[in-house]
Amino acid sequence: MTSNTVNSNLKPSAFTSDQEIRWCPGCGNYAILAQVKKVLADLNIPRRNIVFVSGIGCSSRFPYYLDTYGFHGIHGRALPIATGIKLARPDLSVWVVTGDGDGLSIGGNHLLHAIRRNIDINILLFNNRIYGLTKGQYSPTSEQGKKTKTSPHGVIDYPLRALSVAIGAEATFAARSVDIDHTHLSMVLHRAALHKGTSFVEIYQNCRIFNDGAFTYATDKSVRDDHRLILQNGQPLVFGKNNNKGIVLRDSEPQIVDLNGRYSASDLLVHDERTQEPTLAYMLSRMYYPDFPEPMGVFRAVARPCYNEQLDKFSVPVPMPQEIDHALEALYASGEVWEVAG
């Protein structure tokens, strides 16, 4: 991350582009865009040193709506583009905005390898459990039984769990938030931006047209405290409207207990986002509604060398342009067949 005190007076509005926003009224993307602008202003990075890369989908319109550099790629290919940008210009702050379809379906393989390489980029995956741009087909994260235009009798696939995939690929930073929880989302995005290495953030995002209310259990103030678990490093796993429930580990599996005298906070699992062993983070990523409260926050944040740092160790001198031209000319003129020395 590059800092520059000259920009200390940047406001979120400074990142607003002149493009008309073309999301549906009430789309969760508006809330996410607002928090991204706020975090960019807080980071104090010159706009010329920020790049947003996207693939295809509603979320992938993001680069148009930010007054930074941007690259609107093709379906599922945002991560190879972002990787190339970061390797060529390691001084840039590189962000990838993708969706559950773009990032986990056609782009799933690129996602795995970007994460395992620990390239110093920030990946924001908007999960609305539906294909919104193409009008309501089921996506890799759609829940079983969901009826859509492409699953009129209900989805039979098991849903892909984005955070489980990221942690399984050895993500050094993995987190989750929700579009309308502004304070929590801002905190998560800020921490992701400061992380050195790949940061992966899953954001629950409401698609008002094709999957409205998919995350009501985690956003409705009347029920959300019983259905989500706010992760705090070094703190026991407590949840509930009155903080009267918690998570214990029994026979290697998480279980919900009531804090009613038999169990106290000292009996509960304690969250540790910085342990190198990802087992606890992975277990948390497997807790989902309605069987468990869904964890929100930073699941894992560990240090590991970045891919671009490792690559620098094997860099070789780059020939001058005239040397390249001369070598290519000689090669082309050498005949129909040539050998490349080892």
Side-chain angles (χ1 to χ4, degrees), residues 9 15 33 46 49 57 66 70 78 89 98 128 131 166 168 183 189 200 204 215 235 238 318:
N9 293 322
F15 293 92
L33 177 62
N49 286 351
L66 288 167
R89 288 287 305 276
T98 185
N128 55 22
Y131 278 102
T183 301
L189 292 175
F200 178 86
Y204 283 170
F215 302 108
Q235 297 299 314
V238 176
V318 179

Side-chain angles (χ1 to χ4, degrees), residues 54-126:
S54 66
I56 295 297
C58 294
S59 63
S60 294
R61 297 180 186 273
F62 230 76
Y64 295 105
Y65 306 147
L66 288 167
D67 193 13
T68 64
Y69 283 105
F71 195 113
H72 191 179
I74 60 176
H75 202 194
R77 311 305 181 206
L79 284 158
I81 297 167
T83 297
I85 292 172
K86 188 64 181 182
L87 295 184
R89 288 287 305 276
D91 58 308
L92 299 180
S93 176
V94 180
W95 298 70
V96 173
V97 177
T98 185
D100 45 304
D102 183 66
L104 295 174
S105 184
I106 190 170
N109 196 46
H110 296 307
L111 181 73
L112 290 176
H113 295 296
I115 291 174
R116 76 175 178 88
R117 288 177 175 133
N118 199 34
I119 298 164
D120 191 16
I121 59 177
N122 309 299
I123 304 171
L124 309 183
L125 187 141
F126 298 5

Side-chain angles (χ1 to χ4, degrees), residues 39-316:
V39 169
L40 291 177
D42 291 342
L43 289 174
N44 197 30
I45 302 174
R47 286 178 295 167
R48 64 180 179 275
N49 286 351
I50 301 172
V51 184
F52 275 79
V53 184
S54 66
I56 295 297
C58 294
S59 63
S60 294
R61 297 180 186 273
F62 230 76
Y64 295 105
Y65 306 147
L66 288 167
D67 193 13
T68 64
Y69 283 105
F71 195 113
H72 191 179
I74 60 176
H75 202 194
R77 311 305 181 206
L79 284 158
I81 297 167
T83 297
I85 292 172
K86 188 64 181 182
L87 295 184
R89 288 287 305 276
D91 58 308
L92 299 180
S93 176
V94 180
W95 298 70
V96 173
V97 177
T98 185
D100 45 304
D102 183 66
L104 295 174
S105 184
I106 190 170
N109 196 46
H110 296 307
L111 181 73
L112 290 176
H113 295 296
I115 291 174
R116 76 175 178 88
R117 288 177 175 133
N118 199 34
I119 298 164
D120 191 16
I121 59 177
N122 309 299
I123 304 171
L124 309 183
L125 187 141
F126 298 5
N127 183 4
N128 55 22
R129 294 179 177 168
I130 203 77
Y131 278 102
L133 186 67
T134 50
K135 307 299 185 284
Q137 300 86 349
Y138 78 91
S139 84
T141 59
S142 295
E143 55 271 45
Q144 278 189 306
K146 186 172 189 62
K147 293 183 179 181
T148 73
K149 293 178 179 178
T150 49
S151 59
H153 301 292
V155 174
I156 61 173
D157 298 346
Y158 288 100
L160 200 59
R161 308 293 178 177
L163 274 172
S164 298
V165 170
I167 294 169
E170 301 291 341
T172 54
F173 184 96
R176 176 193 289 146
S177 191
V178 63
D179 52 11
I180 64 171
D181 192 340
H182 302 162
T183 301
H184 188 267
L185 177 58
S186 180
M187 178 276 294
V188 167
L189 292 175
H190 197 274
R191 287 202 54 192
L194 295 179
H195 178 74
K196 192 173 184 180
T198 302
S199 62
F200 178 86
V201 180
E202 177 186 30
I203 305 172
Y204 283 170
Q205 178 258 330
N206 189 51
C207 176
R208 189 168 184 180
I209 305 302
F210 297 107
N211 203 18
D212 193 24
F215 302 108
T216 299
Y217 63 88
T219 58
D220 188 326
K221 292 182 179 180
S222 65
V223 298
R224 68 184 184 184
D225 290 336
D226 289 323
H227 297 155
R228 66 178 189 175
L229 171 65
I230 303 299
L231 299 175
Q232 298 182 64
N233 191 46
Q235 297 299 314
L237 301 182
V238 176
F239 70 101
K241 189 169 293 186
N242 299 310
N243 288 327
N244 58 342
K245 298 178 183 180
I247 304 294
V248 298
L249 192 63
R250 186 178 294 157
D251 297 328
S252 300
E253 294 187 1
Q255 291 192 7
I256 298 172
V257 297
D258 292 323
L259 303 179
N260 55 8
R262 180 183 176 187
Y263 291 96
S264 66
S266 62
D267 299 311
L268 304 180
L269 273 175
V270 174
H271 183 46
D272 184 0
E273 65 185 38
R274 301 198 177 278
T275 180
Q276 289 290 333
E277 170 55 52
T279 301
L280 176 59
Y282 186 81
M283 184 195 75
L284 290 171
S285 75
R286 305 300 298 166
M287 291 170 49
Y288 35 83
Y289 175 82
D291 297 322
F292 290 97
E294 291 200 4
M296 299 282 174
V298 178
F299 288 62
R300 192 168 193 238
V302 297
R304 201 172 73 204
C306 298
Y307 182 83
N308 33 300
E309 293 176 339
Q310 299 291 89
L311 192 64
D312 288 343
K313 298 178 182 179
F314 300 98
S315 61
V316 296

